[in-house]
Amino acid sequence: WQQTLAPGAASPPHRHDAEEVLLCHSGWGELHLQGRIHRFGPQTSVLIPRDAPHQIFNVGHEPLEIVAILAAAKENVIGPDDRPMELPW
């Protein structure tokens, strides 16, 4: 799915029951994953392992435009409290 994060915004902490690939079209972000911070920018991709808790932050001065590609047709997103999160579509 396509997502836009405003400067200073972040996704909620969450995890997926499938691998996820983030494609960054524009802006600058940080992926907080397994105790590490991975910076990324335009025209890059990031691989997130299955069931890995993570959070995405816009650390730039422009909107962060990303596309998430998930390895499963039906995707369950789980919040930090181990409860399913409702998706925006």
Side-chain angles (χ1 to χ4, degrees), residues 38-76:
H38 305 273
R39 292 193 68 120
F40 60 91
Q43 308 305 311
T44 61
S45 60
V46 180
L47 176 65
I48 303 169
R50 178 183 185 272
D51 280 329
H54 61 281
Q55 190 171 15
I56 302 160
F57 295 83
N58 181 342
V59 295
H61 300 290
E62 300 176 7
L64 175 62
E65 300 280 344
I66 55 176
V67 173
I69 301 167
L70 300 158
K74 176 159 179 5
E75 178 57 28
N76 296 314

Side-chain angles (χ1 to χ4, degrees), residues 15-18 51 70 72 74-78 84-85 87:
R15 61 188 169 89
H16 306 274
D17 58 4
D51 280 329
L70 300 158
K74 176 159 179 5
E75 178 57 28
N76 296 314
V77 178
I78 296 95
M85 291 175 63
L87 297 175

